[in-house]
Amino acid sequence: MIALPLVGAAILLIGGRRTNKWGHLLGVAMSLGAFVVAVLALVQLLGLDPEQRRQAVHLYEFIPGMVDMGLLVDQLSISFALLITGVGSLIHIYSIGYMSHDPERRRFFAYLNLFVAAMLLLVLADNYVGLFIGWEGVGLASYLLIGFWYFKPSAAVAAKKAFIVNRVGDFGLLVGMFVMWTTFGTLSFAGLGDATIEQNGTVTAIGLLLLLGACGKSAQLPLQSWLLDAMEGPTPVSALIHAATMVTAGVYLVVRSGAFFFPLGSTAALVAGIVGTATLLAGAIIGCAKDDIKKGLAGSTMSQIGYMMLGAAFGPVGYAFAIGHLITHGFFKADMFLGAGSVMHAMNDEVDMRKYGGLFSKMKVTAITFIIGYLAIIGFPLLSGYFTKDGIIETAIEHNPVMGWLAVAGAGLTGFYMSRMIFMTFFGKARWDKDAHPHESPAVMTVPLIILSIGAIGLGAFLVLGGRLYQWLAPAVGGARDFVPAFHPFSVPGLSTLALVAVGVVIAWFKYGKAEVPVTAPRGSFLTTFARRDLYGDALNESLFMRPGQWLTRLAVFFDNRGIDGLVNGLAATIGGSSGRLRRVQTGFARTYALSILFGAALLTGALLLVGNL
């Protein structure tokens, strides 16, 4: 699974321009090959007893006495592997059409293959060191793909921002691994499973450090600021990395570490729930005011991963719903991101929804598949999000009513901002520029949309009803095999969620469906400005870190110039000045030297007489 896309990336990068004609086909073939291997591995696991579905694959001794490099194929890792390779392959296919006119298409597919290989290593590694190598690999691939059009200053800056913000989270993960090794003497999942882990200050610190790493990779508060800027990359990048796979790596880390450092009721789990709740609301508020279609979807991604993080705070049942929502989200959000790319492809790369309108009649396949993804994300009954997101909400209300009902409020906001996006893009009067000629995308782009929309329709019911996903994941995440979580569609939380979603849809209809949408965005209220500026996240980072960092840098430069360099330069000046003055003693006249010798001899004689008398 890992080797195929890794070899594909190597061939395309080393082969250079010689692979331009067929490089994209090689990239697709390698991703599809990895998907085939993942399916075969799933079939093998299904043929084993549930207790034997944890297969370790030893590779080699990596760091002697510390960790061996190996892979772990179990219910959790294979679920992620299928998502990465399956959705990833569809995005590869879509990219053939989307990047058809880009002269660097071969390099783009090389980076996509590199990302798939690194993401697979992340989820298949049987220890935290291997996970960390994959973790850094996807960070590198994300940097390369966000800044793929590096000649655009905005893309180059966005790539740098994503890389730096993620390094903050990665520092937390790395320190957490250091403390883990010092405390337990192992970094393997199996070794930690055999260790006796009691919840104390050290274990809580490890959990919080791991959570910091998860926040960086999954764009959760307070490390969320990079995600919206990352939309500067090509749209398939947004679908693969910033919707379906990499941004969910933080959720994988929390669930994989759940039994060790995030058990139900622990401080780390509580903080994870708070972070998830705050982020799901923040992302939803941001999405309400964005006119850029990709940034609106990015705010939605923040919010939906907040739901997953919230679910991951509530033990094995929460894990199952969180992973279920992660999988279904991979389908319906990739569907919508690629749909947004299809719209941009038809509208001369225009991203402002205020310059869309009435596109349904021009792009029926794109519109229908996008609307299916929209219905799934708002939790329309019987579609995938209805089962997975409502399962998270019900689990949260059961364990922490405050967080649960805040999640219900977030669902109402989701209904509003996603409906706003639909009405502004596909319905109402056309607001296109004169040179825009909207048309449907080619089949190589629309077929992946259709397949993803099918997953958005039925995948949630398949995973949740009858506790199928919970039963599958239970041995890997510590759940009870004889327990089947019930789904209550007519519960008070479920009906309240549907009611708030309906209210959000109605409000969006009156503001953006029925009423005329101005091409120029109105100034709006303070809250609108607050949301448009990403809740002043960048301003906060600038005030708390960048400007104090500038002053610290200036202080360090001043101390270096006046202190360190001043001491060295002062010593050099003293020696230079003294030598300059002493040099004047050397006059070159014999009479002067004779007088100096006489004077010195007199002093020496006087000193000897004085010492002799004492």
Side-chain angles (χ1 to χ4, degrees):
M1 260 187 280
I2 300 171
L4 287 172
L6 189 60
V7 168
I11 292 173
L12 294 177
L13 291 174
I14 296 172
R17 295 178 180 177
R18 289 168 291 185
T19 65
N20 278 350
K21 291 183 179 180
W22 45 268
H24 56 288
L25 300 177
L26 177 67
V28 172
M30 290 303 187
S31 182
L32 284 171
F35 176 66
V36 171
V37 176
V39 171
L40 294 176
L42 173 66
V43 172
Q44 280 189 300
L45 285 184
L46 291 173
L48 301 173
D49 293 332
E51 295 76 15
Q52 297 177 331
R53 290 174 181 166
R54 184 183 179 89
Q55 298 295 311
V57 182
H58 177 76
L59 298 179
Y60 54 87
E61 186 181 40
F62 183 45
I63 304 176
M66 184 176 182
V67 64
D68 290 341
M69 183 56 68
L71 304 179
L72 175 63
V73 182
D74 67 355
Q75 296 91 331
L76 180 60
S77 64
I78 199 64
S79 299
F80 270 84
L82 288 166
L83 176 68
I84 295 163
T85 56
V87 175
S89 295
L90 292 174
I91 294 171
H92 274 71
I93 295 169
Y94 174 95
S95 300
I96 294 176
Y98 189 87
M99 302 294 289
S100 59
H101 300 298
D102 196 296
E104 293 290 328
R105 181 169 63 169
R106 175 263 316 161
R107 181 167 59 89
F108 181 77
F109 277 86
Y111 292 163
L112 286 184
N113 270 198
L114 178 63
F115 171 81
V116 170
M119 191 70 196
L120 286 171
L121 175 59
L122 190 160
V123 299
L124 289 170
D126 69 350
N127 61 83
Y128 282 97
V129 176
L131 181 149
F132 186 75
I133 295 172
W135 192 272
E136 294 303 301
V138 296
L140 170 63
S142 175
Y143 168 78
L144 294 172
L145 286 165
I146 294 170
F148 180 76
W149 290 320
Y150 55 83
F151 48 83
K152 293 171 54 180
S154 58
V157 170
K160 181 173 63 175
K161 182 177 181 180
F163 194 83
I164 292 173
V165 173
N166 271 275
R167 295 295 73 73
V168 177
D170 296 353
F171 177 77
L173 175 56
L174 196 59
V175 174
M177 289 165 56
F178 293 161
V179 180
M180 197 186 304
W181 168 256
T182 303
T183 306
F184 302 107
T186 181
L187 289 169
S188 71
F189 302 141
L192 288 167
D194 295 335
T196 301
I197 300 179
E198 298 179 359
Q199 293 300 308
N200 52 38
T202 302
V203 172
T204 298
I206 294 173
L208 294 176
L209 288 166
L210 296 181
L211 180 61
L212 179 62
C215 287
K217 199 65 74 184
S218 293
Q220 300 291 282
L221 293 172
L223 300 178
Q224 83 293 347
S225 61
W226 64 271
L227 183 61
L228 277 83
D229 289 26
M231 298 301 106
E232 289 293 336
T235 302
V237 174
S238 303
L240 179 62
I241 294 181
H242 308 129
T245 55
M246 189 193 82
V247 289
T248 61
V251 180
Y252 170 79
L253 177 64
V254 172
V255 172
R256 177 62 80 185
S257 307
F260 315 136
F261 308 114
F262 296 93
L264 181 62
S266 67
T267 301
L270 175 62
V271 175
I274 293 172
V275 167
T277 304
T279 307
L280 73 88
L281 291 173
I285 292 170
I286 290 172
C288 288
K290 291 295 182 182
D291 293 331
D292 184 318
I293 188 170
K294 288 178 66 178
K295 290 191 176 182
L297 290 172
S300 170
T301 298
M302 276 178 55
S303 182
Q304 296 306 306
I305 297 174
Y307 276 101
M308 300 172 207
M309 197 66 74
L310 174 63
F314 297 119
V317 175
Y319 299 158
F321 283 119
I323 298 301
H325 195 53
L326 186 153
I327 294 172
T328 58
H329 177 267
F331 278 82
F332 58 67
K333 184 56 66 66
D335 173 27
M336 286 188 285
F337 261 118
L338 296 184
S342 180
V343 171
M344 292 166 56
H345 184 266
M347 297 291 288
N348 299 329
D349 290 328
E350 178 62 64
V351 296
D352 189 349
M353 293 185 291
R354 293 184 179 276
K355 296 181 179 180
Y356 292 164
L359 290 178
F360 187 94
S361 61
K362 302 292 183 179
M363 309 177 67
K364 285 188 169 59
V365 175
T366 298
I368 292 171
T369 54
F370 196 105
I371 290 170
I372 290 173
Y374 150 74
L375 293 174
I377 197 174
I378 68 172
F380 190 82
L382 304 183
L383 270 70
S384 59
Y386 172 70
F387 296 95
T388 55
K389 186 167 70 175
D390 281 27
I392 292 173
I393 292 173
E394 288 187 17
T395 304
I397 289 177
E398 179 182 350
H399 291 92
N400 191 311
V402 174
M403 293 183 186
W405 286 107
L406 287 174
V408 172
L413 290 174
T414 303
F416 171 77
Y417 71 75
M418 289 305 306
S419 299
R420 173 181 183 268
M421 186 177 295
I422 290 293
F423 296 141
M424 290 179 71
T425 302
F426 296 109
F427 299 100
K429 294 182 179 179
R431 303 179 296 277
W432 319 324
D433 291 335
K434 294 181 179 179
D435 60 345
H437 302 286
H439 56 279
E440 188 58 88
S441 299
V444 73
M445 295 171 65
T446 56
V447 170
L449 293 177
I450 294 170
I451 296 173
L452 289 169
S453 65
I454 292 172
I457 293 172
L459 196 55
F462 174 78
L463 295 175
V464 172
L465 294 182
R468 185 176 284 108
L469 183 62
Y470 174 85
Q471 294 289 326
W472 168 251
L473 292 175
V477 299
R481 288 295 315 282
D482 56 349
F483 175 75
V484 177
F487 180 77
H488 304 98
F490 300 109
S491 63
V492 173
L495 294 176
S496 300
T497 300
L498 285 177
L500 277 181
V501 168
V503 170
V505 172
V506 170
I507 294 174
W509 163 251
F510 279 105
K511 287 182 66 66
Y512 301 99
K514 184 178 180 181
E516 185 174 348
V517 178
V519 176
T520 301
R523 182 176 180 179
S525 64
F526 166 75
L527 289 176
T528 303
T529 305
F530 187 55
R532 284 175 180 165
R533 296 188 179 182
D534 305 340
L535 310 187
Y536 293 104
D538 287 336
L540 183 64
N541 287 335
E542 185 174 332
S543 301
L544 292 180
F545 301 108
M546 191 275 282
R547 295 200 180 281
Q550 282 184 328
W551 284 107
L552 182 62
T553 302
R554 291 168 183 167
L555 179 63
V557 171
F558 177 82
F559 179 73
D560 182 60
N561 290 337
R562 300 297 179 87
I564 305 300
D565 288 350
L567 178 63
V568 174
N569 294 335
L571 180 61
T574 300
I575 294 173
S578 301
S579 63
R581 292 179 178 85
L582 288 173
R583 185 180 59 197
R584 296 174 184 174
V585 177
Q586 304 295 325
T587 63
F589 296 110
R591 61 182 180 271
T592 303
Y593 299 151
L595 182 61
S596 299
I597 292 171
L598 178 62
F599 182 70
L603 285 177
L604 182 61
T605 302
L608 290 174
L609 290 174
L610 179 62
V611 172
N613 291 331
L614 294 175

